Amino acid sequence: MPTLDRHDAVFVLDLGDGENRFHPEWIASVDAALDEMEKSEGPRALVTAATGKFYSNGLDLEWLAAHGDEHLDYVNSVHGLFARFLSLPLITVAALQGHTFAAGAMFSLAHDFRLMRADRGFWCLPEAEINIPFTPGMSALIQSRLTPQTAHQAMVSARRFGGREAAAAGIVDQAVDEGALRTTALELAQAHASKAGDSLGTIKTRMYAPVLTKLRDTTNPLG
Amino acid sequence: MPTLDRHDAVFVLDLGDGENRFHPEWIASVDAALDEMEKSEGPRALVTAATGKFYSNGLDLEWLAAHGDEHLDYVNSVHGLFARFLSLPLITVAALQGHTFAAGAMFSLAHDFRLMRADRGFWCLPEAEINIPFTPGMSALIQSRLTPQTAHQAMVSARRFGGREAAAAGIVDQAVDEGALRTTALELAQAHASKAGDSLGTIKTRMYAPVLTKLRDTTNPLG
Amino acid sequence: MPTLDRHDAVFVLDLGDGENRFHPEWIASVDAALDEMEKSEGPRALVTAATGKFYSNGLDLEWLAAHGDEHLDYVNSVHGLFARFLSLPLITVAALQGHTFAAGAMFSLAHDFRLMRADRGFWCLPEAEINIPFTPGMSALIQSRLTPQTAHQAMVSARRFGGREAAAAGIVDQAVDEGALRTTALELAQAHASKAGDSLGTIKTRMYAPVLTKLRDTTNPLG
């Protein structure tokens, strides 16, 4: 389960050391961590990180297969997670130390900045390969954060981007040596902690208004 | 007239060896080829190619001048061609061996990928020079596939991009030696043939929903 | 106060030699210059330039503090300035010789092309730092001209881009030696003077229709 820690002004949300898929309890735990963080005042920023081979593999397809009747509620809760991150009133940095796939990759795009380990691990949207179309909300999120060329290639060809390729394509902001990844993420977050506040929240909410509308359309999340 | 051929899983649509302008019969012939292709099942992908000096020079202005009363129907049919390509449920690759101008350039943008001969030929939107404004649908198509900076430069300055410049600007995915162009296109298409299917169609349809809406607005195609 | 000059087909609008903030009289003076320019016929283009340390520092916050009751009218007049530039029926080139900040930076984005002095001066959107959220119209303008990654970084982190960094990020089209800046801008404008006319106006108006709608929404400019 995700855990929240704090270093000076920077909160660190550890997503776990497994595949870190979005089980309903995992999502509830992330939401609780954000609730706790939002109670604090003053300069603050957020780093999300994980340990092991995966940053996150996205949707919990196993749980979903066993709970088909809760499909729409589940999609809405994932959309809600993306929307919440996309509009957080503080700077968020994703430290991608391992595989970042599917909804895990989308989750990373809902952060302000992404750093990725340079030598190992892939960022990938495999949906076209595994025959799961992106929801309109997911599509809008991805397209709002990548250039048209990169979004198209990532979404229709399921290309696996290594760290350096992801940086070259503008998917992540920087590829970093494994040993320096978490420190670099903490420093970047610390440098922008003073920007936390309502203005930043308003800036992000206005920038991504059409995406947030789609992600929060709970009556018809599958389009 | 365009002809359809097949190599393993890859269909090759040859656009012709002239200027390959969009005469109504040329459009009907492309549509018929797509109809035939869509009847097939299993892994498949599409390469469009041409021979000679031109990939395509776009609208058939000569025919249009002689059929002014069919102007709107003609624009709608061109928009329909773009919309159909943009949402085809298989991977499409344009092999640009020669000049790719105006609506020919837009047609290339409706493909998933573009490869362009490196040493000769231009990709160009001359509309600002010849005083033919882009329709809202054309504008939306171009802007959905290029970065804002590239779209703006291409659309207001009528810049002619050579192969390497087009690759650097993200207009095409790769500039390729003339001798390797068709082979590279076939290999790229073959590599993604397994992605053909409804999911891919849905992915593309959702990605470009606002563009498709404009291209299919047959009541007011000129805005 | 801004002054209008002419060199062959190129109008040069000098924004001033101070901070060149958008005082209401400054805006009226720019509008009058554009009115005069639009009376001319034939090939023409526009360069905006300034002298001294600043290109423009944006909103006149001092005037605004003293005229709180005119806040909405003032925002509408700034939005109107952006909208007018964004849709001018001729090619516009901003020659950024000095600091280009906040609404001054947005003003530069409403031009067709931007050239920036390479060795000194910054292009910056400090809004996230000074707690002034972008209006929806401003946000739409910025996001319509920059890649998602660059827009996001510029808007949430208030990064100061030097000339070479701004060119690398696609914010400006070229970083130029100080001595060559105005000449290069004049040459670029002259090269495209023949494109002036209604078609170019229509092309730009259609490209930025959603942005123009937001900038011209005078009933609710703050969202």
Side-chain angles (χ1 to χ4, degrees), chain B residues 127-136 139 143 147-149 151-153 155-158 214 222-223, chain C residues 91 111-113 143-148 167 170-173 192 195 199-200 202-204 206-208:
Chain B
E127 277 75 1
E129 211 155 68
I130 57 178
N131 287 311
I132 303 181
F134 304 97
T135 65
S139 190
Q143 293 179 280
T147 64
Q149 188 183 25
H152 195 92
Q153 187 187 44
M155 293 172 79
V156 309
S157 81
K214 283 187 181 162
L222 302 179
Chain C
I91 293 291
H111 291 66
D112 291 303
F113 299 105
Q143 292 179 281
S144 75
R145 300 303 302 270
L146 303 177
T147 65
I171 294 170
V172 303
D173 299 281
H192 292 298
K195 299 196 177 63
S199 289
L200 186 61
T202 302
I203 287 172
K204 293 201 223 174
R206 287 181 180 167
M207 284 185 80
Y208 299 105

Side-chain angles (χ1 to χ4, degrees), chain C residues 40 61 69 88-89 96 141 166 178 187:
Chain C
S40 77
L61 299 177
D69 56 328
L88 279 175
L96 311 177
L141 167 60
E178 187 200 4
E187 286 171 357

Side-chain angles (χ1 to χ4, degrees), chain C residues 27-171:
Chain C
I27 295 175
S29 170
V30 170
D31 265 325
L34 296 184
D35 289 346
E36 190 188 322
M37 187 185 70
E38 295 206 292
K39 276 180 207 150
S40 77
E41 308 224 331
R44 60 202 184 285
L46 174 65
V47 168
T48 66
T51 48
K53 204 174 160 189
F54 303 94
Y55 173 80
S56 170
N57 250 346
L59 300 187
D60 192 328
L61 299 177
E62 197 178 331
W63 181 89
L64 196 53
H67 299 78
D69 56 328
E70 300 178 49
H71 189 187
L72 287 188
D73 286 346
Y74 179 70
V75 171
N76 281 333
S77 74
V78 172
H79 281 182
L81 180 71
F82 294 163
R84 188 168 183 186
F85 262 82
L86 197 56
S87 55
L88 279 175
L90 43 73
I91 293 291
T92 56
V93 180
L96 311 177
Q97 97 298 348
H99 293 315
T100 304
F101 269 59
M106 299 172 211
F107 178 68
S108 78
L109 291 178
H111 291 66
D112 291 303
F113 299 105
R114 284 156 295 292
L115 306 179
M116 186 170 169
R117 179 178 168 177
D119 65 329
R120 202 181 272 196
F122 291 112
W123 188 100
C124 176
L125 297 171
E127 278 73 2
E129 211 155 69
I130 58 177
N131 286 311
I132 303 180
F134 304 97
T135 66
M138 290 170 175
S139 190
L141 167 60
I142 300 162
Q143 292 179 281
S144 75
R145 300 303 302 270
L146 303 177
T147 65
Q149 187 183 25
T150 296
H152 195 91
Q153 187 187 45
M155 293 172 80
V156 309
S157 82
R159 176 175 165 190
R160 297 175 177 219
F161 293 83
R164 283 183 239 282
E165 295 165 327
I171 294 170

